[in-house]
Amino acid sequence: MDATTGRWTRRGSVITLAAPGPSADGTDRELSSGFSSQRFPAKPAASAGNPPPVPVPVSLFPPRPADPLAADPKMEGTLKNAIDRLERARRLRPGTFPVRLTLVDVTRALGSFPSAGHLETETDYIASEAKVAVMYSAYALRDLVRRFAASTGADAANVFFQLARRMNPAIAKASDHIARSLLMDVHRVPSYRNVFAATPTTVGFRADVAFAPAFDKALEGMIVPSNNAAAATCIHGIGYGYLNGALAAGGFFDPSLTQGLWVAGDFQSGKQWPYVRIVSRNDGLVAQAGTTRDMAKLVALLMTDRLLDPASCAEMRGRLARAANGPDTPWIARTGIFRAGTITHNKLGLGPLKSGTNVRSEVSVYQSPVARGRRYVVAWQNLAGIAPIGFRDIANIIKATIAEFER
């Protein structure tokens, strides 16, 4: 993107959508005051000879769930106290603790959830933790395909053709940032035949739709051992347009602020698909980003069956539960601060910043971390390096916050 005009620029396989300010030279770098708000080129005017758009028979995305997170003064106070103690112990300047945190009490599955956050709306590069967002968008796409098949009566032989003809034009424009990029449609829209298997039902000629075995295996591989090649398979199947459209429609990304969960990179370093990047606080322009609030909200909703349908939530919970007990031991579980088995669901993130320092992140479900029967969702991010602040510091903050909140 040209720093003066704010127009799109493709640098190799990378497409940027946020403009550096006048002091930037166009290279990727950590965020500074030189970054300005993004500006987009005007969309090409439609030709008078173009046919009218095909109306979509069903909505692209599931209904947006209500935001269940409610700031709790007591929890906010206990979190601030824990962070203040850590800053004093580590001789940090007050207010400089860099790790973002959101804690949510999901013990009662109904109503709003007491929550507290520290820098929880900062958008950062979060590496593989963003794969949780990819998983959600895959299930949202399955929901769309099933609703389409039921509504239109498409059969197993033509459902994918009909989906591409009737839904793809709208999907290509579902994420404004992706629609305005230099991507081709192959990067924007789903590859239905690679994602789903359709079989005839016993009634009439309609189709039952499930994840194709290879795609289901990729979903598992993306979450449990956090395999990047499996993540690429999932992202290529879903497409950037549907993936990020689903996140925005679900309330997990705010296009007006370019803030929230964003995945427009296939974890292959731009060698397969081009990237579309947004501005992050910790690493400049990035393609896998999020805030702790949006990640905690997403996991809190799926833990309480408020996303899609209960069966889909159960499948997603199963993958996160297997990740918690898989080869990637949760970062906080490695500290010994909590009893073994306290973290029941998990997805961690680890990746390099442009400075060369590795940054870590994690979203977890804690069962009975202090009092028996209580359950919390905790998301944290932007642990750059492991000194002077490390996993034990974050674990102590989480435990102290919960313990004081429960008194």
Side-chain angles (χ1 to χ4, degrees), residues 27 57 79 82 89 109 113 144 173 177 190 236-237 257 265 271-272 377 383 399 404:
T27 58
L79 176 59
F113 301 141
L144 164 64
K173 297 182 289 186
H177 290 357
H236 295 172
L257 299 175
K271 296 176 182 177
Q272 294 189 27
V377 173
L383 177 63
K399 190 165 188 178
E404 190 176 346

Side-chain angles (χ1 to χ4, degrees), residues 165-183:
R165 184 180 73 86
R166 302 180 67 178
M167 302 302 292
N168 280 6
I171 291 173
K173 297 182 289 186
S175 166
D176 192 54
H177 290 357
I178 297 299
R180 291 174 180 266
S181 73
L182 300 177
L183 294 170

Side-chain angles (χ1 to χ4, degrees), residues 236-270:
H236 295 172
I238 301 163
Y240 290 156
Y242 192 86
L243 198 166
N244 290 288
L247 294 175
F252 309 112
F253 180 79
D254 185 341
S256 67
L257 299 175
T258 320
Q259 176 180 294
L261 301 180
W262 175 263
V263 184
D266 64 358
F267 294 91
Q268 297 300 300
S269 303

Side-chain angles (χ1 to χ4, degrees), residues 212-242:
F215 187 85
D216 190 70
K217 182 178 179 181
L219 270 177
E220 187 78 359
M222 174 180 69
I223 297 298
V224 178
S226 199
N227 183 276
N228 285 343
T233 295
C234 295
I235 293 167
H236 295 172
I238 301 163
Y240 290 156
Y242 192 86

Side-chain angles (χ1 to χ4, degrees), residues 75-224:
M75 189 187 292
E76 287 184 324
T78 62
L79 176 59
K80 184 180 185 304
N81 291 341
I83 291 173
D84 288 346
R85 286 194 295 269
L86 184 279
E87 288 178 337
R88 289 194 297 271
R90 288 284 181 264
R91 297 182 178 179
L92 300 176
R93 190 158 41 88
T96 61
F97 180 67
V99 177
R100 297 62 150 113
L101 282 153
T102 299
L103 294 88
V104 187
D105 181 355
V106 296
T107 304
R108 298 183 63 182
L110 300 177
S112 60
F113 301 141
S115 70
H118 172 72
L119 302 176
E120 64 175 353
T121 60
E122 296 282 7
T123 297
D124 291 314
Y125 169 63
I126 60 172
S128 287
E129 187 193 6
K131 293 170 183 174
V132 177
V134 180
M135 177 179 69
Y136 163 69
S137 68
Y139 280 89
L141 181 60
R142 187 179 71 175
D143 175 75
L144 164 64
V145 175
R146 286 175 170 175
R147 287 186 288 109
F148 179 90
S151 174
T152 64
D155 61 30
N158 69 10
V159 63
F160 301 138
F161 171 79
Q162 292 294 335
L163 277 160
R165 184 180 73 86
R166 302 180 67 178
M167 302 302 292
N168 280 6
I171 291 173
K173 297 182 289 186
S175 166
D176 192 54
H177 290 357
I178 297 299
R180 291 174 180 266
S181 73
L182 300 177
L183 294 170
M184 296 184 293
D185 275 354
V186 68
H187 306 122
R188 293 186 172 105
V189 301
S191 177
Y192 301 104
R193 295 182 186 278
N194 292 332
V195 177
F196 301 108
T199 56
T201 64
T202 55
V203 179
F205 296 97
R206 296 188 179 185
D208 279 335
V209 178
F211 288 132
F215 187 85
D216 190 70
K217 182 178 179 181
L219 270 177
E220 187 78 359
M222 174 180 69
I223 297 298
V224 178

